[in-house]
Structure formats: structure tokens, C-alpha cells
């Protein structure tokens, strides 16, 4: 079989299946002929078909296993390899079936002599209605062409089985009894927040009625036309004001455009049509392959790109089948929570923002484009909810707790009441903080604290006015790079920086040059040697990349300098480890400045250069660096991970070490004291500054500038206005000289007795 191409194999099987179906044989006889035909064409020793009957996967036909097992061997969904394939709707390809943890031995089948196993779900309207599996004596993994042929067969089988009434459609597709009571599902918090509304399925699923083509050429034409139409749609979207004029969507749409014109994709669909499938089935076939690949991809960013491709594939399927409407095109009737396996960012933006309250995804990751966009839109998102779409119906009431990553489906009235109360409290709190927009963060003893926000997207800019923050203390420029398919061109960088400066008006914006590498991997910017890193957080990232690929830094320097023409440019470098790195990065900017001067371009009025303190070694040389700096920004996220030698992304360590510990506090105080004689501004821009108790601790160390997440501005301002800076500093001095057993509790108690809320 490996010698045979997938196209030829699938075509040969389709021809045999056609013959079988045209025969007058009964359903069981047809299935028997089908397993023979598949087995012969794929040259496999075993071919079996399991179908769903009364909730169990029953062996309906086999070639190669004991015939006595037919209609006797039954597996629950989720049980054994076959049950796992059906439960997860995924393909398994195993060289040694018995080594798989889900393997369940069924002695009546006589399968012990067969080592390798490949199984594919037979899917109807997104539910597995059966499984087709092949087995071989020889232990080996199946070739991709073999799996593809098997997947094509499974698609055809799904149509044949339904037509032959071999499965009870009502049983499979009707509303199962378990979809009536309340249910709680757990997932991963992607964007925090609370929401309630009715479940709206993003895509009323395209039903593929016909899988086997009558006329291959006609199917090819249908696909060509659909491609044209889809490309037109994408181009049009790009020109619409909502998506265009600079938003992050521009980068996203660029990625879409790249895929829409991708020749590999069209070629694979064409090959599937060659094998005898209809246009719809061919698109779905190729999409299945993409999904399978996606499961194998470790790189989250690359996986996100694959989701974009899936989004486009769904679009193409809708066009070709004429089943055009997503829930967006039909309009949301009331408060809605969108349900999708995955969602493209452009698709999210098609919804009515007033009615769309939340999003729940079966997949999704923190860095997915759609999540970045949802965050900017203020819509809570929970992802990685397994089997989501099988657990609810359109119109079910849902309560989404994005803070805890929990979803209540069809909640009991008492739960709704409790949720509403939380909701009301939340709104009240938000309104209270919003009203503090104009309130100055001044301590009781008259110290003005600077409270700025962290940002990274153009869509974050309205937060400046909404929170009344003093500026942007950290603008993560790498976000633009992260949502782009390719390195963003200089003009596009300039445009973003200019827009950000304009939106900020006279409030300062500190641009951090790209911090890529670490957890922010760009598929288009790899190591020269193509090696992967064991410890990317301590590897080739941030300024280390920028100084080596100085073309990257030069382009960014030009873009920043041009964007800041006539204004002050605040720029800082991430992960400075030794002072010379700061000098080298500054030199790149200075040479670009000289170039622009020669070109008689409008130059910034002033340039303030700063460094991030994220690597402990730099703290030992601050006396050398500080005189050269206009400001220093302490990135406590990275700094503390290096001080504790504890990966900031490892959930097992998340609770283990405390920022409010003598080690971190003493370290930070020493930094403050070293820099103080030089009069250099010091800001803390890590996450800890946005937590009230941590903010209190930082103020106690002499930090007076914070750059924090926008949602924390109100709570931190409120804190500042309640404290006496002299008092907390004196207390902190005492604690650090002779640390109490538990500094966090001591500090919390101190705050509590003064009526300072710090939770
Ligand atoms: C930090 O490390 O604290 C920081 C602010 O930078 P980032 O979180 O982007 O690494
Ligand atoms: Mg950092």
C-alpha cells in the first residue's frame, strides 16, 4: 500500500464501494463486502467497522478478526482504542496497539497477533457514529498516504451508513437525555471576566450530503469558484474600516490572505477531488488532515496559524455548499455566548459587539489571535473545554466565569441568582473605579505615585482614558510581530507607533524594543542554526536577538524615531544583561538618528533611553549603567523567575515562591538604593505591581512609579490614597532588617489594621 498513492488507493476503494452500494445485497452483506474491499485495496490483514448502536460501538463487520466476534464485541465510547477514537473524534496510528494506555484486549476477536493499528472515526454532523480500523501483524506506523486513504473511506462510509439506515439517526443526532440537566464544565481562562447569555453555535455545521462525486471536473470548477469568492471576501474585509485602518486585524488578515492564496492548500483539495470526492468532501478531508497536524504541533504560534487556516477552510466549505450563514450573519437576538471549536479573529469581529458577551472554545490558547482580539474587546473567553459542543444545544442558558475558567450550562435558578449578584457587584466595582479616573494617586502624606498601564495593541489605547492612567509604562512592541504572518514592514511599525503616540497625547509612552524568543516564538524568525533551545527563557531572546540580527533593531529604531518626530521618544531595551548591551543598542538608534538627520526628516524633540532590569547580573553593575540611563524599568516577571530559578510559565511553581519574600524585597530595595544617587526614574512594570498587597510592598521599598495591567489602575489608586508612605517605608525597613516568619501575612495584617483593603 505505501507504494500506492493516497489518491489512487482512495479512488480504487471508492469504485469498489460504489459497486457494493449499487448491489441488491442487504445492509450486513454490504458491510461485509466493504471491509473486504477496503482490506484488499489497502492491503491490510484486518479491516473492521464498528458502528454506534444503543450507545455502544459494536463490531459490525470485519475481515481478519474472528467472525464470531461480529455483533458480540462492544465497546463504550471512550473505552479501548476504538472508543477513544470515537470519543475524541481523532485518528490513531500506532505501531504497537497494546502499548497504548487505552488499549482494551478483547479475546473473542483473536487480535493478539496483530501489532500495528490505525483507526479513523466515521463522523456524521460532528459526532462519531462509528470507527473504521485496519491492523497488521508487522509492527509499524502507517504512512500518511494510508491514513489519508482511510480517512477518505471513513467519509464515504458515513454517507453509506446513513443511507443504508445502519445507524439510528435519531439516537445519534437527536437530543440525548443528558442535555437537559445542569452541568458544570471546566476550561482554561483565556480572557478574564463574567458573562451570561444563551449558547449560540458559531457555525451551524455545514452538512455534507454527498461525498462521492458524479463528475470530477464539475467538482473542481465548484472549488475554483469558491476559492475566488473567498479571496474576494478576504480582500473586501481588509478594506473595510472596521478591520482596516491599522487595527491588529490588519496583521491577522495578512495571514489570512497568505493562506487564501496558498498553493499547497489548493493542490491538496484538488488531489482529494481526483480521488473521487465531491468539492465539500474534499475540503473537509483536507481540513481533517490539518486538524491532525495541529494536534502534533508543539509550537503554539504555529498552531494558532493553523487555526486561521481552519477558519478559512470553514468559510470555503460554507461558500461551496451554499450554506452561508454563521450565527453572525443571522444576527444575535439577545445576550449571547458564542460556542465554537475554534474561531478566527476575523470571525469574532463579525459579531454585534453589544450582544456578544462571551466566547467558549473547545480549543484555543493564550496567544491565539482571537484571544488577543477578544481581550482588546473586553470579552471573556474560556478555552480548552473538551467535548463542549456535545454538551449543550443552541439556546441553552450559560453562565461563564472567565476568572475561574468555569462554565455552567443550564444552571439551576439559585446559581443564576448567585451569579447575578456577583455580576452586579463586579459592575458596581468597575463603575466605582471608572469614577476614579480623574482621582490623583497621592498618598496621605502627599507623595504623588505615578500609575501607568502596560499595553501592546492599538486596541489597548482607549484604556488610557478609561483608567485615567499617567501613561504607558510598557508598550510591548513584540505583540505586532506576534500577530503577523511575516516580519512587519517598517512602514507598518511606524504607523502603529505613531497611532499609539497620537492616542496618548501628552502622556508618555515607553516603547520596549521587541522581546521575542522565550515564550514568544515567531515562526518566521528562527535560529540561524535551526536548533531548538532547552531553556528558551534564558536563551536567544530579546536584546540578544536584536543585537545579533541588527537589521531587525535598525528597522525598529527607524520606525520609532520617525513615529516620534516632534515629540519625546521613550525607548527601553529588554533583558539587558551587561552594560555594553545597552550601549550597543543605543548606538543602533543613534546611527539611525544621524541617518534621519541627513535625510532632513523631522526628528524627536528628545530621546530618553532606558533599560529593563530583568536579569539579576545587571543589578551588580547598576552603578556603571545608571549614569547613562534616563530611566530603569524593573521587569519583575522575568527578574523573579531568575532570582528564584523558577520558570514563570510552570504552573507547578506558580504558588511555591512568594514575591513578597525577604529575598525579593531586599534585592529590589538594594536596586532602588543603588540607583537613587543618580536620580534615575525607576518603574516596576511586572505583573506584581498590579496586585494591591504587592503594590503596597513596592511602595514600602521606595518605588513610586508603577506600570500595571489596566484593570488594576483603579484598585491601586485607591490603595495609594489610603497609605502613609513614611509609615510603610519605616515598617518595611524593620521587616527587612529582621524578617518575620511570613512577610506576606505580616504585611497583610499591617494593612488590615489600618483599614487598607489589599485583596
Ligand atoms: C517582565 O519580565 O516583568 C516584563 C514586564 O516583561 P514581559 O512580561 O513582557 O517579559
Ligand atoms: Mg520580561
Amino acid at each position: 500500500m505505501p507504494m500506492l498513492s493516497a489518491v489512487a488507493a482512495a479512488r480504487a476503494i471508492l469504485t469498489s464501494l460504489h459497486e457494493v452500494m449499487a448491489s441488491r445485497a442487504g445492509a450486513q452483506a454490504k458491510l461485509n463486502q466493504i471491509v473486504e474491499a477496503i482490506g484488499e485495496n489497502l492491503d491490510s490483514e484486518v479491516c473492521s467497522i464498528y458502528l454506534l448502536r444503543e450507545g455502544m460501538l459494536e463490531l459490525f463487520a470485519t475481515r481478519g478478526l474472528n467472525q464470531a466476534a461480529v455483533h458480540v464485541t462492544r465497546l463504550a465510547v471512550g473505552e479501548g482504542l476504538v472508543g477513544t477514537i470515537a470519543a475524541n473524534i481523532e485518528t490513531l496510528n500506532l505501531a504497537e496497539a497494546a502499548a497504548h494506555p487505552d488499549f482494551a484486549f478483547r479475546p473473542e476477536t483473536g487480535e493478539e497477533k496483530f501489532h500495528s493499528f490505525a483507526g479513523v472515526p466515521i463522523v456524521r454532523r460532528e459526532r462519531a457514529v462509528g470507527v473504521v480500523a485496519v491492523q497488521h501483524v508487522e509492527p509499524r506506523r502507517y504512512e500518511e498516504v494510508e491514513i489519508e486513504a482511510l480517512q477518505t473511506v471513513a467519509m464515504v462510509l458515513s454517507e453509506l451508513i446513513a443511507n443504508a439506515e445502519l445507524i439510528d439517526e435519531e439516537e445519534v443526532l437527536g437530543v440525548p437525555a443528558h442535555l437537559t440537566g445542569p452541568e458544570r464544565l471546566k476550561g482554561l481562562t483565556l480572557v478574564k471576566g463574567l458573562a451570561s447569555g444563551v449558547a449560540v453555535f458559531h457555525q451551524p455545521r455545514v452538512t455534507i450530503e454527498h461525498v462521492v462525486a458524479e463528475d470530477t471536473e464539475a467538482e473542481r470548477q465548484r472549488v475554483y469558484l469558491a476559492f475566488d469568492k473567498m479571496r474576494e471576501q478576504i480582500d473586501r474585509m481588509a478594506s473595510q474600516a472596521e478591520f482596516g485602518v491599522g487595527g491588529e486585524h490588519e496583521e491577522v488578515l495578512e495571514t489570512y490572505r497568505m493562506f487564501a492564496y496558498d498553493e499547497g492548500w489548493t493542490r491538496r483539495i484538488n488531489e482529494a477531488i481526483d480521488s473521487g470526492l465531491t468539492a465539500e468532501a474534499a475540503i473537509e478531508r483536507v481540513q481533517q488532515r490539518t486538524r491532525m497536524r495541529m494536534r502534533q504541533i508543539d509550537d503554539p504560534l504555529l498552531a494558532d496559524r493553523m487555526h486561521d487556516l481552519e477558519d478559512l477552510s470553514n468559510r470555503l466549505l460554507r461558500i461551496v455548499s451554499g450554506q452561508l450563514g454563521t450565527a453572525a450573519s443571522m444576527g444575535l437576538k439577545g445576550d449571547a455566548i458564542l460556542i465554537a471549536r475554534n474561531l478566527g479573529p476575523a470571525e469574532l469581529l463579525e459579531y454585534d459587539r453589544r450582544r456578544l458577551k462571551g466566547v467558549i472554545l473547545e480549543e484555543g490558547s493564550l496567544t491565539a489571535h482571537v484571544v488577543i482580539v477578544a481581550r482588546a474587546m473586553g470579552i471573556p473567553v474560556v478555552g480548552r473545554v473538551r467535548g463542549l459542543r456535545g454538551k449543550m444545544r443552541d439556546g441553552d442558558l450559560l453562565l461563564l466565569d472567565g476568572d475561574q475558567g468555569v462554565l455552567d450550562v443550564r444552571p439551576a435558578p439559585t446559581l443564576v441568582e448567585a451569579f447575578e449578584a456577583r455580576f452586579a457587584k463586579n459592575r458596581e466595582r468597575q463603575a466605582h473605579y471608572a469614577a476614579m479616573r480623574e482621582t490623583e494617586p497621592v498618598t496621605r502624606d502627599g507623595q504623588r505615585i505615578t500609575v501607568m498601564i502596560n499595553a501592546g495593541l492599538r486596541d489597548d489605547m482607549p484604556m488610557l482614558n478609561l483608567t485615567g492612567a499617567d501613561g504607558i509604562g510598557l508598550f510591548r512592541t513584540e505583540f505586532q510581530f506576534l500577530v503577523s504572518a511575516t516580519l512587519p514592514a517598517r512602514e507598518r511599525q511606524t504607523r502603529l507607533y505613531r497611532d499609539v503616540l497620537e492616542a496618548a497625547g501628552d502622556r508618555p509612552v515607553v516603547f520596549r524594543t521587541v522581546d521575542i524568543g522565550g515564550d514568544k516564538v515567531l515562526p518566521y524568525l528562527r535560529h540561524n542554526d535551526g536548533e531548538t533551545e532547552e531553556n528558551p527563557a534564558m536563551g536567544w531572546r530579546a536584546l540578544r536577538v536584536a543585537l545579533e540580527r541588527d537589521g531587525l533593531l535598525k528597522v525598529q529604531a527607524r520606525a520609532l524615531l520617525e513615529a516620534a518626530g516632534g515629540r519625546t521618544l521613550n525607548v527601553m531595551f529588554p533583558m539587558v544583561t551587561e552594560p555594553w548591551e545597552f550601549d550597543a543598542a543605543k548606538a543602533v538608534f543613534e546611527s539611525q538618528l544621524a541617518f534621519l538627520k541627513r535625510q532632513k526628516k523631522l526628528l524627536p524633540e528628545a530621546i530618553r533611553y532606558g533599560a529593563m532590569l530583568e536579569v539579576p547580573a545587571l543589578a551588580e553593575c547598576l552603578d556603571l549603567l545608571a549614569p547613562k540611563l534616563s530611566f530603569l524599568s524593573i521587569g519583575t516577571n522575568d527578574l523573579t523567575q531568575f532570582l528564584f530559578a523558577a520558570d514563570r510559565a510552570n504552573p507547578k511553581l506558580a504558588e511555591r515562591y512568594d514575591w513578597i519574600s525577604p529575598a525579593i524585597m531586599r534585592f529590589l530595595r538594594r536596586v532602588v538604593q543603588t540607583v537613587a544617587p543618580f536620580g534615575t526614574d525607576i518603574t516596576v512594570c511586572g505583573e506584581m505591581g498590579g496586585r494591591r498587597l504587592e503594590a503596597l510592598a513596592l511602595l514600602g521599598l521606595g518605588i513610586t512609579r508603577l506600570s500595571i495591567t489596566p484593570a488594576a489602575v483603579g484598585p491601586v489608586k485607591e490603595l495609594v490614597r489610603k497609605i502613609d508612605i513614611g509609615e510603610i517605608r519605616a515598617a518595611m525597613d524593620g521587616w527587612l532588617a529582621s524578617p518575620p516568619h511570613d512577610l506576606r501575612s505580616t504585611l497583610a495584617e499591617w494593612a488590615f489594621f489600618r483599614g487598607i483593603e489589599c485583596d
Side-chain angles (χ1 to χ4, degrees):
M1 161 60 195
M3 287 79 76
L4 212 56
S5 81
V7 173
R11 198 167 242 308
I13 298 170
L14 291 195
T15 311
S16 338
L17 293 192
H18 247 320
E19 282 163 18
V20 172
M21 290 320 287
S23 79
R24 286 162 174 259
Q28 179 66 50
K30 279 183 180 170
L31 276 187
N32 293 346
Q33 289 169 25
I34 289 170
V35 288
E36 284 301 330
I38 299 171
E40 228 161 76
N41 282 297
L42 292 188
D43 197 16
S44 69
E45 284 136 6
V46 174
C47 175
S48 311
I49 294 177
Y50 295 79
L51 296 181
L52 202 59
R53 175 142 76 181
E54 290 160 2
M56 299 289 279
L57 290 155
E58 184 173 311
L59 179 64
F60 261 67
T62 184
R63 151 191 157 120
L65 296 184
N66 291 341
Q67 289 305 320
V70 173
H71 297 301
V72 171
T73 298
R74 302 178 88 218
L75 293 145
V77 174
E79 183 189 4
L81 299 179
V82 166
T84 303
I85 292 168
N88 300 341
I89 314 193
E90 69 178 5
T91 296
L92 280 184
N93 177 5
L94 308 168
E96 193 52 76
H100 192 281
D102 291 326
F103 178 74
F105 179 52
R106 285 287 188 271
E108 72 275 10
T109 59
E111 65 183 334
E112 56 275 21
K113 56 180 179 289
F114 303 106
H115 292 272
S116 50
F117 173 98
V120 173
I122 303 170
V123 182
R124 210 158 154 70
R125 305 210 182 133
E126 293 196 84
R127 306 247 185 106
V129 296
V131 170
V132 54
V134 290
Q135 289 170 273
H136 277 83
V137 173
E138 180 200 346
R140 67 174 180 90
R141 268 176 73 81
Y142 292 85
E143 305 277 336
E144 197 170 333
V145 290
E146 293 173 286
I147 299 291
E148 281 182 18
L150 209 54
Q151 284 170 337
T152 303
V153 166
M155 289 189 78
V156 178
L157 276 174
S158 118
E159 187 182 337
L160 298 188
I161 287 162
N163 290 346
E165 291 173 12
L166 279 165
I167 48 163
D168 180 354
E169 292 256 329
E170 277 302 299
E171 180 202 333
V172 176
L173 307 174
V175 179
H178 71 269
L179 287 189
T180 50
E183 188 158 359
R184 172 164 280 201
L185 306 177
K186 285 207 159 213
L188 179 73
T189 294
L190 296 176
V191 179
K192 286 189 172 188
L194 301 179
S196 71
V198 294
V200 170
F201 281 72
H202 169 59
Q203 268 175 22
R205 186 73 190 155
V206 172
T207 336
I208 300 180
E209 298 298 345
H210 299 293
V211 173
V212 184
E214 301 281 329
D215 176 350
T216 298
E217 254 339 285
E219 297 302 320
R220 205 187 306 285
Q221 284 312 315
R222 291 179 64 217
V223 165
Y224 281 147
L225 285 177
F227 258 102
D228 282 349
K229 208 161 178 183
M230 182 189 66
R231 286 169 185 158
E232 237 172 66
Q233 280 183 2
I234 301 293
D235 293 342
R236 200 170 46 238
M237 246 194 258
S239 62
Q240 277 170 8
E242 192 178 8
F243 300 104
V245 218
E248 270 61 45
H249 336 310
E250 202 179 304
E251 274 81 28
V252 170
L253 281 168
E254 202 46 54
T255 311
Y256 272 46
R257 217 181 267 141
M258 195 182 82
F259 282 135
Y261 289 91
D262 179 46
E263 283 180 9
W265 187 28
T266 28
R267 196 193 57 241
R268 280 190 290 278
I269 293 177
N270 254 318
E271 280 172 7
I273 289 180
D274 282 339
S275 75
L277 294 178
T278 58
E280 288 89 343
I283 296 166
E284 174 67 20
R285 224 340 255 99
V286 172
Q287 199 170 340
Q288 278 178 358
R289 177 178 183 268
T290 311
R291 267 182 227 136
M292 207 167 87
R293 289 254 159 119
M294 239 153 58
R295 291 203 182 95
Q296 294 158 357
I297 291 176
D298 266 348
D299 182 339
L301 267 152
L302 212 54
D304 290 342
R305 298 279 129 78
M306 299 304 258
H307 291 319
D308 294 347
L309 178 59
E310 169 129 23
D311 179 11
L312 270 190
S313 187
N314 287 335
R315 207 171 267 273
L316 193 62
L317 203 53
R318 290 201 298 273
I319 295 172
V320 85
S321 64
Q323 302 172 39
L324 290 172
T326 65
S329 62
M330 288 180 255
L332 299 175
K333 314 253 172 329
D335 287 357
I337 293 187
L338 199 59
I339 312 298
R341 195 156 73 77
N342 218 317
L343 199 64
E347 288 187 310
L348 178 66
L349 289 160
E350 283 173 355
Y351 283 89
D352 177 349
R353 293 179 190 195
R354 286 160 309 163
R355 293 193 164 152
L356 181 62
K357 300 296 173 194
V359 175
I360 310 168
L361 303 174
E362 214 156 332
E363 299 176 350
S365 72
L366 276 170
T367 50
H369 294 165
V370 66
V371 172
I372 296 176
V373 175
R375 192 174 294 126
M377 289 165 73
I379 296 175
V381 184
V382 170
R384 308 263 175 92
V385 184
R386 289 208 98 179
L388 169 67
R389 287 167 305 160
K391 302 215 165 113
M392 65 192 72
R393 285 168 301 171
D394 230 311
D396 275 347
L397 178 63
L398 304 178
L399 303 178
L400 171 65
D401 180 347
D403 298 342
Q404 313 285 334
V406 169
L407 170 70
D408 282 297
V409 186
R410 300 172 296 272
T414 47
L415 200 61
V416 178
E417 242 169 68
F419 196 83
E420 282 305 323
R422 257 182 81 197
F423 223 163
K425 214 165 172 193
N426 234 12
R427 275 195 296 264
E428 222 171 80
R429 207 178 305 141
Q430 274 166 5
H432 166 70
Y433 291 132
M436 288 179 63
R437 217 177 3 240
E438 309 291 334
T439 311
E440 295 241 329
V442 182
T443 63
R444 283 178 32 225
D445 48 348
Q447 169 78 51
R448 173 70 160 86
I449 304 297
T450 304
V451 181
M452 298 178 286
I453 56 169
N454 294 343
L457 297 171
R458 201 183 253 107
D459 293 340
D460 291 335
M461 296 312 291
M463 292 317 287
L464 256 186
N465 285 335
L466 288 174
T467 57
D470 291 313
I472 295 183
L474 165 64
F475 190 89
R476 292 178 162 109
T477 61
E478 64 273 11
F479 277 18
Q480 186 185 30
F481 289 64
L482 288 170
V483 297
S484 301
T486 53
L487 220 52
R490 179 164 53 83
E491 292 72 25
R492 200 182 290 168
Q493 292 184 41
T494 312
R495 218 169 341 129
L496 170 66
Y497 307 148
R498 193 171 284 143
D499 289 352
V500 166
L501 285 167
E502 244 149 51
D506 46 16
R507 281 163 297 192
V509 178
V510 178
F511 290 98
R512 174 174 78 180
T513 59
V514 279
D515 180 4
I516 41 188
D519 62 333
K520 303 168 205 157
V521 190
L522 299 185
Y524 51 83
L525 190 77
R526 293 264 180 217
H527 287 236
N528 286 333
D529 52 12
E531 296 268 310
T532 51
E533 295 178 295
E534 292 238 341
N535 281 309
M538 296 194 284
W540 195 65
R541 62 173 281 204
L543 200 54
R544 300 164 186 186
V545 178
L547 290 177
E548 194 177 313
R549 296 268 176 101
D550 70 342
L552 183 81
L553 192 58
K554 268 186 202 157
V555 169
Q556 192 171 30
R558 265 281 286 288
L560 283 167
L561 290 163
E562 285 197 42
R567 308 175 197 256
T568 298
L569 172 65
N570 293 285
V571 60
M572 70 177 171
F573 306 118
M575 292 284 288
V576 177
T577 305
E578 295 187 327
W580 69 265
E581 291 170 325
F582 171 83
D583 298 334
K586 181 177 169 187
V588 173
F589 271 72
E590 292 291 306
S591 75
Q592 290 302 310
L593 184 68
F595 172 80
L596 290 175
K597 212 180 264 176
R598 287 198 297 278
Q599 301 279 309
K600 309 238 177 313
K601 295 266 180 158
L602 177 64
L603 304 177
E605 258 175 12
I607 306 176
R608 300 179 75 239
Y609 292 102
M612 283 194 75
L613 174 67
E614 306 182 88
V615 180
L618 188 68
E620 297 302 323
C621 293
L622 273 181
D623 55 325
L624 308 176
L625 183 64
K628 304 176 186 177
L629 297 178
S630 296
F631 59 93
L632 182 75
S633 194
I634 309 181
T636 48
N637 302 340
D638 274 310
L639 181 67
T640 52
Q641 84 164 336
F642 297 131
L643 283 172
F644 283 134
D647 183 351
R648 67 192 252 191
N650 186 337
K652 285 202 191 104
L653 297 172
E655 305 274 300
R656 186 168 184 122
Y657 302 108
D658 192 351
W659 287 327
I660 306 180
S661 64
I664 300 295
M665 292 295 130
R666 282 177 170 178
F667 187 95
L668 293 178
R669 191 178 56 166
R670 197 154 57 84
V671 169
V672 173
Q673 287 169 348
T674 312
V675 175
F678 302 99
T680 314
D681 279 348
I682 299 188
T683 304
V684 168
C685 65
E687 295 305 305
M688 71 182 279
R691 301 188 181 196
R692 289 206 276 199
L693 197 63
E694 277 79 352
L696 176 61
L698 293 169
L699 295 169
L701 298 174
I703 300 278
T704 57
R705 302 169 60 85
L706 298 171
S707 188
I708 57 184
T709 184
V713 171
V716 167
K717 273 189 185 180
E718 193 174 59
L719 164 88
V720 166
R721 295 179 61 85
K722 284 189 179 158
I723 65 168
D724 183 308
I725 203 93
E727 199 184 0
I728 182 62
R729 281 196 193 157
M732 186 58 88
D733 278 346
W735 295 326
L736 293 190
S738 167
H741 167 66
D742 179 349
L743 182 53
R744 172 175 291 272
S745 307
T746 309
L747 180 63
E749 217 166 87
W750 183 93
F752 179 78
F753 283 116
R754 282 158 186 78
I756 304 169
E757 244 186 282
C758 273
D759 57 343

